[in-house]
Amino acid sequence: MLIRKRSTRKFMPTSLSNASEKLGMPPGSLIHVGDIQEEDSRISVIDFNRTELQEPVVETVEELLKFREKDSITWVCLEGLKNVEITELIGHYFKIHPLVLEDILNTHQRPKFEEHDDYLYIVLKGLSLDRDAASVNGSFAVYHEQISILVLNDFVFTFKEKKDDLFLPLVQRIRNGNARVRNLGTDYLTYAILDMIVDQNFLLLDSLDENIDAVEEELLSNPNSNTLVAIQRIKRELIDIRRSITPLRELLSSVQRSDTKLIGEKSQIYFRDVYDHVLRITETTDSYREMLSGLLDIYVSSVSNKMNEIMKILTVFASIFIPLTFIAGIYGMNFEYMPELKWKWSYPVIWVVFVTVPICLILFFKKKKWL
Amino acid sequence: MLIRKRSTRKFMPTSLSNASEKLGMPPGSLIHVGDIQEEDSRISVIDFNRTELQEPVVETVEELLKFREKDSITWVCLEGLKNVEITELIGHYFKIHPLVLEDILNTHQRPKFEEHDDYLYIVLKGLSLDRDAASVNGSFAVYHEQISILVLNDFVFTFKEKKDDLFLPLVQRIRNGNARVRNLGTDYLTYAILDMIVDQNFLLLDSLDENIDAVEEELLSNPNSNTLVAIQRIKRELIDIRRSITPLRELLSSVQRSDTKLIGEKSQIYFRDVYDHVLRITETTDSYREMLSGLLDIYVSSVSNKMNEIMKILTVFASIFIPLTFIAGIYGMNFEYMPELKWKWSYPVIWVVFVTVPICLILFFKKKKWL
Amino acid sequence: MLIRKRSTRKFMPTSLSNASEKLGMPPGSLIHVGDIQEEDSRISVIDFNRTELQEPVVETVEELLKFREKDSITWVCLEGLKNVEITELIGHYFKIHPLVLEDILNTHQRPKFEEHDDYLYIVLKGLSLDRDAASVNGSFAVYHEQISILVLNDFVFTFKEKKDDLFLPLVQRIRNGNARVRNLGTDYLTYAILDMIVDQNFLLLDSLDENIDAVEEELLSNPNSNTLVAIQRIKRELIDIRRSITPLRELLSSVQRSDTKLIGEKSQIYFRDVYDHVLRITETTDSYREMLSGLLDIYVSSVSNKMNEIMKILTVFASIFIPLTFIAGIYGMNFEYMPELKWKWSYPVIWVVFVTVPICLILFFKKKKWL
Amino acid sequence: MLIRKRSTRKFMPTSLSNASEKLGMPPGSLIHVGDIQEEDSRISVIDFNRTELQEPVVETVEELLKFREKDSITWVCLEGLKNVEITELIGHYFKIHPLVLEDILNTHQRPKFEEHDDYLYIVLKGLSLDRDAASVNGSFAVYHEQISILVLNDFVFTFKEKKDDLFLPLVQRIRNGNARVRNLGTDYLTYAILDMIVDQNFLLLDSLDENIDAVEEELLSNPNSNTLVAIQRIKRELIDIRRSITPLRELLSSVQRSDTKLIGEKSQIYFRDVYDHVLRITETTDSYREMLSGLLDIYVSSVSNKMNEIMKILTVFASIFIPLTFIAGIYGMNFEYMPELKWKWSYPVIWVVFVTVPICLILFFKKKKWL
Amino acid sequence: MLIRKRSTRKFMPTSLSNASEKLGMPPGSLIHVGDIQEEDSRISVIDFNRTELQEPVVETVEELLKFREKDSITWVCLEGLKNVEITELIGHYFKIHPLVLEDILNTHQRPKFEEHDDYLYIVLKGLSLDRDAASVNGSFAVYHEQISILVLNDFVFTFKEKKDDLFLPLVQRIRNGNARVRNLGTDYLTYAILDMIVDQNFLLLDSLDENIDAVEEELLSNPNSNTLVAIQRIKRELIDIRRSITPLRELLSSVQRSDTKLIGEKSQIYFRDVYDHVLRITETTDSYREMLSGLLDIYVSSVSNKMNEIMKILTVFASIFIPLTFIAGIYGMNFEYMPELKWKWSYPVIWVVFVTVPICLILFFKKKKWL
């Protein structure tokens, strides 16, 4: 078996030195590369056809082989990729190309669709809201999990990085004997899985939408430098989301243009449906991006406006009191011959001046629309 | 009948938790997803050919079946989608694919054209000005209604979210026995419906144009922070409008490239005409977008200019009176040996200084073009 | 005759209510939609072949029919579209599709080329400088006139909105018996007309260029808020110009790709030539656009620079006189035990301080490059 | 001979009125349109094959005709286009299409490649640094000279606007008997000429690069409003350069896609080589453009920074001395009952206040990172 | 042998005059053009097939010829291009086109793939972090080394500019008898080399990522003008990186579309894999670019914010003390009839005023959210 380690494919190594080391490592075995380090692996198997359904507990990969003879669809879902041996054995028994196995384990893949002789390989990102990060610092954080799908004649394998309930609704639909998925082949099951993953993004977009609204409200009521940081953080998440989602468009149009026998004529309409969803999602992210740049414009303007406000106060105070202080200064001079100092009405008169000058100035400013 | 509920297709659920709940719901029946909750449904039917015209009152979907035998065109318009049973039955009797039915009911579709074996499915957005919002806060708000069109051999179905008079002019044209629409097939009727919906956008653009002009005028006469909010609001509506309109281009070019038998050779020129309208609309929105970014530039500059004005006042006052105050301060000092204090002409002379210094300063500033 | 009124195609109705009214009007007759309301129509006819030339005065459309039998090229130019009957009759006698007639009369068309069975339809915008607007407020305004061209086997019809001398040079060339246009067919005449209209844009671009230069000069010598308005106005005109010109590229490449028999092999080189002109024009407008955005950058910067200048004056005055005022204030205090007040040289010494402190400050500022 | 004057093709007439006049001129003869008014024309001829080389002095166009019979390559280089008769005669004897002749003489062409039956027409811009402008005001100015190339079976004509030594190195290579150009046909000669013109741009880019570096250095050391003008001037030149260079990409890919017999299979690799150079040049100009926009960002920021500096000085001075002045003002009041005035230690104490207050303020500001 | 010197192809000559000189040089011999002036050249040879492996020390190019007869793959790696004779001889013996040899030696090539009759030519950039520059001034600098690959039937030549260990891991894999590269042809070796070069970029991106993070942190904690310079420097490097990497996409898709016999069907999947890596790299650089523009926005805003802070201090101080100073000034006037001066409680009362006025002002400012 020829599976070499390709450590250099690691996309974002935690540290530079670490990656440099791996660059020189001798090839030999598959390794898992990814940020999500789920300790245990879980294999779930569901085998069904129109009439029967079986959910066996499977301990070893070899146990899967017996389903090959059965006239039924077997969906094997592996969650947790750290134990690379399982993937290696699946690759061995089901004759998967070593490069595909590497791509499954290296979780920094670009979403893509590959058509091989006996199977299809689909890899994409499942995005979900990172609720922990959100609850800690109230910010918006997204979790990018890589999900690989292998579609064979009677088998569908899904490889997930972490254990969760993403596919539970689908499994329940399969358990229900009447569901359409029971009557159709692996292509429809593949569609249902893709649909599940893609539709999850709508939840994400809702949350994004809420965050943008919150930021916008804050911008209009009380803009501060945290608002800018918040805008920037959402923008950055959006860049990542777009990077995960944009290639899906291409992926699904490849699926549709493909003439593989593994996807039947009748299932094409379903894939077109997922494709429409992807288009809607990408267009929505595009418009969020425009909105964010609009928010930035508001922020910059509101900062300028605030400066204007501050300048106005200063100007009012300075422009009014500086002349008055000067007037007071005049009569604080100690010249011997200053006739006004001796007059009896000087002091009341000067108070009249002190009151009328500011009034005139303010009226003048108002008229000039400076205030 | 196999129609499953696909709640996850909902695009913008009102709340996140709500959407999450639905994600796990068992499939089984079609549901309506949308913001417009028209309580009652209204079915209008108009059945016509070159010589006859009939506008029967239809209570149940089954009543429509009798028109199938007739050699005439039957246009069925359903307004209000909340009662999903009607759509379900139409789908059942006219053999519409379940995914299409879901798309009709889920009103967050991207405009698209789908060619099925026996029918065409067109879904697009009818944009109209939300006059209520406009009258309340004077702002510009747009109403995005989803309109679905099913084109069969002898039938045209339109599904609207709300009840209004959008199609009334067309209905009146049909009632008029001489109208071209009476002589041609369902394809021309489809064109007439599309044309009606697309041309409605011109009204919207007029209103948008007026709003932009009003904002521009405000910008040049009296820019304030509300102006920015207004620009931003129009920009946001424009983003939405573009999202509804841009896919129409693709939709109509698909219609033209399609080789379906449901659209005759002779009708192609009409669809090309609608296509031209759509091009004009998209180009107009593009130029509005550029104009808005121009307005933003003016706004930012006008804020800066205003700041300059304020700074100038401050500078004039401070630069003139601060030196004078200093001079007055000098002669307010209490030194015993200050010869000027004793001189008889000191006080008049100092007044001369108080008058000439500001004059010189102002002249100097003017010369330097600082003021 | 089936020509229905399609009022909703009107692009920019003068008022919203007006347009809404028309939306419900019964179709029946062609109407003219446009901003240019030329009262009278003028029909000019020139009929020529290699040897003969005739310029008959034509009163009715029927008089044109006799030229159909003649082996000659007949160019009919209609100026002023308000009298829709003429267009209607031309359509009737020469079998023009009703949609084309509507497009001719509705002067908000997007430039396009349509190939019909027996004729070609070209519609484009003739841009000319609006000298009236220019002379009144010195600003740059452009006149967008719609010109439609119908190319038949032996006839060329041109429909203009207003009466002017645009085609005069071409007419004079035709009158000259040796001109190439006399020897070639309607395709060459069409080319000559297109060339005339397209080349007029160069004049416009010259004027635009001059305006941009003038604004740039003003920017560098004396930027003020009017400069910004001027930039914005040119930008807006440019957006409109681009909207009129950009589709020409597509139009002419359609003409070249077309395999209509109405355009001979030999004339293709001429259309390619016009195409090159259009490319040059669009590229020039593109670069003007970039220049304008550059001007905006200069404007914004110059406003900031001016602010800096103002701030500097303020800073110099305040920073120098405020400390001095403080010093004077010290010796204006009335403490009984202030030994300096009694000293004989105090007053001269304080004057030395008053002179040296500002000098030191100014030197210090200069050294720090703050001034 | 049918060569009409097409004055309207003039791209940038010196004055508007001038151009308007020409619009109405009767066609009849070719005229030269261009900014470069080289007085005399110079015809250089070099005729060579593998073994022989001849550089005859040619006075009239007719003398060229004798080379038509010879089995050799004749390169005719015309410098200075003002004497249009020469071009006219070349067109006449070598059967060049009148439109091509016009394009040669009207030096505002967009670079393009035209394939005619018996010859190829290439027109492009030779960019060179305008050293005169550079030496006068130290700015960066580019000279756009139009160069036309006509490739016939045995002849290559080049038409240049001005006399210079651009082609000298190539001529010297031809004179050298061993050069590859001697052994290959007109296609290789054409390549060599194109290569010469294109590679000249690298010099230009070097100079541009130097200018950008100089501006960047100035920006970082001492930004002033001249820096902005310099950035803007380079940007403007870059817009022009891009306009001259970008179409070259298309030109050369047309040459490569062309199936003309005038360019042999073996020469294709050479044209691909020039194409690569053009790609490199356009990509370089693209990155210069991005750099310039980066410089603009720095400029704007540095202006803001400078403002901040100025504001800081003002703030320090005002914030420190205004409170002190107030304190001094307190004890300058003339109330009868002010006990402090009588105290012996008041004056020294107040001096302590005068010293400690500013120190505290400065420390406070520093701590707050305001200074 | 016909190899001419083409000095004008030099892309970035160190000085203008230098380049001008070369423009006129007689062609004749290949020269090396590049910034990296590695003194010595090193030839490494590794010859292997499934069973055997040989690493002969080769002194002259002629020694390579004997491997031509052997049924094995020979990989020749030349490091250091200054000694052009080696390249010249390789070109001579292996019949490489002179233009290809020039491209190998002129190290300013754009990455490209050329298909020749008997060999393939691939040229691309190996990017590596310039650690020297990084350690000196802490900035981010990238080293662009040109690597050329010639793929023949049994030979692979690689030409590198400098000596380093880039290929060492690959060599070690070859030495290991079991490696896949031992069993497959020159196409797989070519893939392995390309993969090595491309994957090196991931390291670079990591470093870039770290730099951007560091700058972002600095921006949020303590933005200063150096931060801007750092952003600008990264931006500039990014422009260069993109220029080196973007053409790789095209290069690899050419390789995949190519129908050369030198790349077997089975190897296509490997090249597709490299292609995916390149896509990922370009998308990552695209998102870095967006992030940088976001950082610039933060910088500009933070400068404005800082200005606001400074203005606030000034405003607080000036607005509070200027009125107080005025009040003190009033009672510093020397009028004879000022009753307050005589009152016993005047002085305490005025102190109450001095304390309450600022408090009121501050509360007022706070309420107005000005502070």
Side-chain angles (χ1 to χ4, degrees), chain D residues 1-13:
Chain D
M1 201 175 68
L2 267 164
I3 303 170
R4 68 178 178 86
K5 177 183 170 210
R6 286 236 318 257
S7 50
T8 53
R9 300 181 83 200
K10 188 171 177 308
F11 183 42
M12 285 275 174

Side-chain angles (χ1 to χ4, degrees), chain C residues 69-334:
Chain C
E69 278 98 73
K70 272 191 70 179
D71 178 26
S72 64
I73 292 166
T74 314
W75 177 18
V76 181
C77 183
L78 174 63
E79 286 165 306
L81 302 180
K82 220 178 171 184
N83 185 352
V84 300
E85 218 177 281
I86 303 172
T87 310
E88 209 173 322
L89 284 171
I90 291 174
H92 177 67
Y93 288 120
F94 291 89
K95 301 202 172 52
I96 306 303
H97 195 284
L99 277 176
V100 170
L101 296 180
E102 282 183 57
D103 285 354
I104 289 171
L105 289 175
N106 180 329
T107 60
H108 296 293
Q109 296 306 311
R110 201 176 163 274
K112 63 180 173 184
F113 166 73
E114 282 183 7
E115 207 174 315
H116 291 258
D117 283 346
D118 295 325
Y119 56 93
L120 307 174
Y121 172 51
I122 295 168
V123 57
L124 75 168
K125 299 288 175 190
L127 307 191
S128 54
L129 203 63
D130 186 346
R131 290 184 198 285
D132 296 338
S135 62
V136 171
N137 55 12
S139 76
F140 179 76
V142 178
Y143 210 76
H144 297 243
E145 183 195 17
Q146 176 165 315
I147 303 176
S148 297
I149 308 173
L150 283 177
V151 186
L152 285 77
N153 199 19
D154 277 343
F155 274 81
V156 172
F157 290 93
T158 49
F159 298 85
K160 285 175 89 286
E161 286 188 83
K162 52 170 190 168
K163 284 185 266 190
D164 57 22
D165 294 338
L166 175 61
F167 293 140
L168 191 61
L170 178 57
V171 169
Q172 282 168 345
R173 241 153 65 201
I174 294 173
R175 285 177 189 147
N176 172 351
N178 290 332
R180 205 184 297 161
V181 66
R182 289 289 288 274
N183 298 309
L184 297 164
T186 52
D187 47 359
Y188 187 85
L189 178 59
T190 308
Y191 148 73
I193 293 167
L194 278 178
D195 189 52
M196 212 83 222
I197 299 166
V198 167
D199 283 4
Q200 207 187 10
N201 292 316
F202 288 118
L203 293 183
L204 195 77
L205 292 180
D206 291 343
S207 173
L208 195 59
D209 195 54
E210 273 172 26
N211 267 272
I212 291 176
D213 280 351
V215 166
E216 186 168 25
E217 205 162 298
E218 195 179 320
L219 254 189
L220 295 177
S221 62
N222 179 29
N224 54 58
S225 61
N226 285 335
T227 323
L228 180 64
V229 174
I231 294 175
Q232 219 55 39
R233 197 166 292 159
I234 295 177
K235 202 175 165 183
R236 218 168 167 165
E237 287 295 339
L238 201 58
I239 290 173
D240 283 349
I241 292 174
R242 286 167 51 87
R243 199 135 64 97
S244 288
I245 285 177
T246 315
L248 281 179
R249 206 161 43 184
E250 196 192 318
L251 190 164
L252 277 154
S253 89
S254 304
V255 171
Q256 284 183 70
R257 276 184 287 104
S258 157
D259 53 358
T260 174
K261 275 175 293 181
L262 289 163
I263 296 178
E265 190 70 26
K266 277 177 75 177
S267 298
Q268 283 295 359
I269 188 172
Y270 295 103
F271 285 99
R272 190 166 71 181
D273 190 60
V274 186
Y275 181 65
D276 284 338
H277 292 200
V278 168
L279 281 188
R280 236 161 71 204
I281 292 167
T282 50
E283 283 175 5
T284 309
T285 55
D286 280 351
S287 57
Y288 283 158
R289 198 186 178 194
E290 283 193 60
M291 277 178 205
L292 277 178
S293 94
L295 291 189
L296 206 68
D297 290 335
I298 300 189
Y299 178 75
V300 169
S301 298
S302 73
V303 167
S304 292
N305 273 329
K306 215 168 174 183
M307 175 103 73
N308 272 6
E309 286 301 309
I310 297 170
M311 291 303 298
K312 271 187 201 166
I313 315 168
L314 180 61
T315 303
V316 171
F317 274 86
S319 306
I320 288 172
F321 285 103
I322 287 179
L324 297 185
T325 306
F326 165 63
I327 295 168
I330 293 172
Y331 296 101
M333 292 189 299
N334 298 319

Side-chain angles (χ1 to χ4, degrees), chain B residues 185-223:
Chain B
T186 52
D187 48 0
Y188 186 84
L189 179 60
T190 309
Y191 148 73
I193 293 167
L194 278 179
D195 189 52
M196 213 84 222
I197 299 166
V198 166
D199 283 3
Q200 207 188 10
N201 292 316
F202 287 119
L203 293 183
L204 195 77
L205 292 180
D206 291 344
S207 172
L208 195 59
D209 196 54
E210 273 172 27
N211 268 273
I212 291 176
D213 280 352
V215 167
E216 187 169 24
E217 206 162 297
E218 195 180 320
L219 253 189
L220 295 177
S221 61
N222 178 28

Side-chain angles (χ1 to χ4, degrees), chain D residues 51-69:
Chain D
T51 50
E52 281 168 80
L53 181 112
Q54 217 182 327
E55 293 190 59
V57 177
V58 165
E59 295 288 326
T60 63
V61 175
E62 283 77 7
E63 293 177 49
L64 293 171
L65 302 179
K66 66 174 182 231
F67 295 106
R68 284 208 277 201
E69 277 98 75

Side-chain angles (χ1 to χ4, degrees), chain D residues 327-365:
Chain D
I327 294 168
I330 293 172
Y331 296 100
M333 292 190 299
N334 298 318
F335 291 114
E336 283 191 358
Y337 306 97
M338 286 179 69
E340 297 98 320
L341 296 183
K342 309 286 185 320
W343 298 344
K344 201 169 181 180
W345 294 104
S346 291
Y347 187 56
V349 164
I350 205 93
W351 266 110
V352 171
V353 170
F354 287 163
V355 171
T356 51
V357 165
I359 291 173
C360 294
L361 279 173
I362 286 174
L363 289 177
F364 177 70
F365 291 168

Side-chain angles (χ1 to χ4, degrees), chain D residues 49-235:
Chain D
N49 58 18
R50 198 174 298 236
T51 50
E52 281 168 80
L53 181 112
Q54 217 182 327
E55 293 190 59
V57 177
V58 165
E59 295 288 326
T60 63
V61 175
E62 283 77 7
E63 293 177 49
L64 293 171
L65 302 179
K66 66 174 182 231
F67 295 106
R68 284 208 277 201
E69 277 98 75
K70 269 193 72 179
D71 178 26
S72 63
I73 292 166
T74 313
W75 176 18
V76 181
C77 183
L78 175 63
E79 287 165 305
L81 302 179
K82 221 180 170 184
N83 185 354
V84 299
E85 215 176 283
I86 303 172
T87 310
E88 210 173 322
L89 282 171
I90 291 174
H92 177 68
Y93 287 121
F94 291 88
K95 300 201 172 54
I96 306 304
H97 195 283
L99 276 177
V100 169
L101 295 179
E102 282 183 58
D103 284 354
I104 289 169
L105 289 174
N106 180 330
T107 61
H108 296 294
Q109 296 306 310
R110 201 177 164 272
K112 64 180 172 183
F113 166 73
E114 282 183 7
E115 208 174 313
H116 291 258
D117 283 345
D118 296 326
Y119 56 93
L120 307 174
Y121 172 51
I122 296 168
V123 57
L124 75 169
K125 299 288 176 190
L127 307 190
S128 54
L129 202 64
D130 187 345
R131 289 183 198 284
D132 295 339
S135 62
V136 170
N137 55 12
S139 77
F140 179 77
V142 178
Y143 210 76
H144 298 243
E145 182 196 18
Q146 175 165 316
I147 304 176
S148 298
I149 308 174
L150 282 176
V151 187
L152 284 78
N153 199 20
D154 277 344
F155 273 81
V156 172
F157 290 93
T158 48
F159 299 84
K160 286 175 88 286
E161 285 188 84
K162 53 171 190 165
K163 284 185 264 188
D164 56 22
D165 292 338
L166 174 60
F167 293 139
L168 191 60
L170 178 57
V171 169
Q172 281 167 346
R173 239 154 67 202
I174 295 173
R175 283 176 190 151
N176 173 350
N178 291 332
R180 207 184 297 162
V181 65
R182 290 287 287 274
N183 298 308
L184 297 164
T186 51
D187 47 1
Y188 187 85
L189 179 60
T190 308
Y191 148 74
I193 293 167
L194 277 179
D195 189 53
M196 212 84 222
I197 299 166
V198 167
D199 283 4
Q200 207 187 10
N201 291 316
F202 287 119
L203 293 183
L204 195 76
L205 292 180
D206 291 343
S207 173
L208 196 58
D209 196 55
E210 273 172 26
N211 268 272
I212 291 175
D213 280 351
V215 167
E216 187 169 24
E217 206 162 299
E218 194 179 322
L219 253 188
L220 294 177
S221 63
N222 179 28
N224 53 59
S225 61
N226 285 335
T227 323
L228 181 65
V229 174
I231 294 175
Q232 221 53 40
R233 196 166 294 159
I234 295 178
K235 202 175 165 185

Side-chain angles (χ1 to χ4, degrees), chain A residues 121-362:
Chain A
Y121 173 51
I122 296 168
V123 56
L124 75 170
K125 300 289 176 189
L127 306 190
S128 55
L129 203 64
D130 187 345
R131 288 182 199 285
D132 296 337
S135 62
V136 171
N137 56 12
S139 76
F140 179 75
V142 178
Y143 209 77
H144 298 242
E145 183 197 14
Q146 174 164 318
I147 303 176
S148 297
I149 308 174
L150 282 177
V151 186
L152 284 77
N153 199 18
D154 278 343
F155 274 81
V156 172
F157 291 92
T158 48
F159 299 84
K160 287 175 87 282
E161 286 188 85
K162 53 170 188 166
K163 284 185 267 190
D164 57 21
D165 293 338
L166 174 61
F167 293 139
L168 191 61
L170 178 57
V171 170
Q172 282 168 348
R173 241 155 64 203
I174 295 174
R175 284 177 190 150
N176 174 350
N178 291 333
R180 205 184 297 162
V181 64
R182 289 288 287 274
N183 298 308
L184 297 165
T186 51
D187 48 0
Y188 187 84
L189 179 60
T190 308
Y191 148 72
I193 293 167
L194 278 178
D195 189 51
M196 213 84 223
I197 299 167
V198 167
D199 283 5
Q200 209 187 9
N201 291 317
F202 288 119
L203 293 183
L204 196 77
L205 293 180
D206 291 343
S207 172
L208 195 58
D209 196 53
E210 274 171 26
N211 268 272
I212 291 176
D213 280 351
V215 167
E216 186 169 25
E217 207 162 296
E218 196 179 320
L219 255 188
L220 295 176
S221 62
N222 178 28
N224 54 58
S225 61
N226 286 334
T227 324
L228 180 65
V229 174
I231 294 174
Q232 219 53 39
R233 197 165 293 159
I234 295 177
K235 202 175 165 185
R236 217 168 168 165
E237 287 294 338
L238 201 60
I239 290 173
D240 283 348
I241 291 173
R242 286 167 52 88
R243 200 136 62 100
S244 287
I245 284 177
T246 314
L248 280 181
R249 207 161 43 185
E250 196 191 318
L251 190 164
L252 278 154
S253 90
S254 304
V255 171
Q256 284 183 71
R257 276 184 286 103
S258 157
D259 52 358
T260 173
K261 276 176 293 183
L262 289 162
I263 296 178
E265 189 71 27
K266 276 177 76 177
S267 298
Q268 283 295 0
I269 187 173
Y270 295 103
F271 286 98
R272 190 166 69 180
D273 190 62
V274 186
Y275 181 65
D276 285 338
H277 293 200
V278 168
L279 282 187
R280 237 160 73 205
I281 292 167
T282 50
E283 283 175 5
T284 309
T285 55
D286 281 352
S287 56
Y288 283 159
R289 199 184 176 195
E290 282 193 62
M291 278 178 205
L292 278 178
S293 94
L295 291 189
L296 206 69
D297 290 336
I298 299 188
Y299 178 76
V300 169
S301 297
S302 73
V303 167
S304 293
N305 273 328
K306 216 168 171 180
M307 173 104 73
N308 272 6
E309 286 301 310
I310 296 171
M311 292 304 297
K312 272 187 200 167
I313 315 168
L314 180 61
T315 304
V316 172
F317 274 87
S319 306
I320 287 172
F321 286 103
I322 287 178
L324 296 186
T325 306
F326 165 62
I327 295 168
I330 293 172
Y331 296 100
M333 291 189 300
N334 298 317
F335 291 113
E336 283 192 359
Y337 306 97
M338 286 178 70
E340 297 98 319
L341 296 182
K342 308 287 186 318
W343 297 344
K344 202 169 180 177
W345 294 104
S346 292
Y347 188 55
V349 164
I350 205 92
W351 267 109
V352 171
V353 170
F354 286 163
V355 170
T356 50
V357 164
I359 290 173
C360 295
L361 278 173
I362 286 174

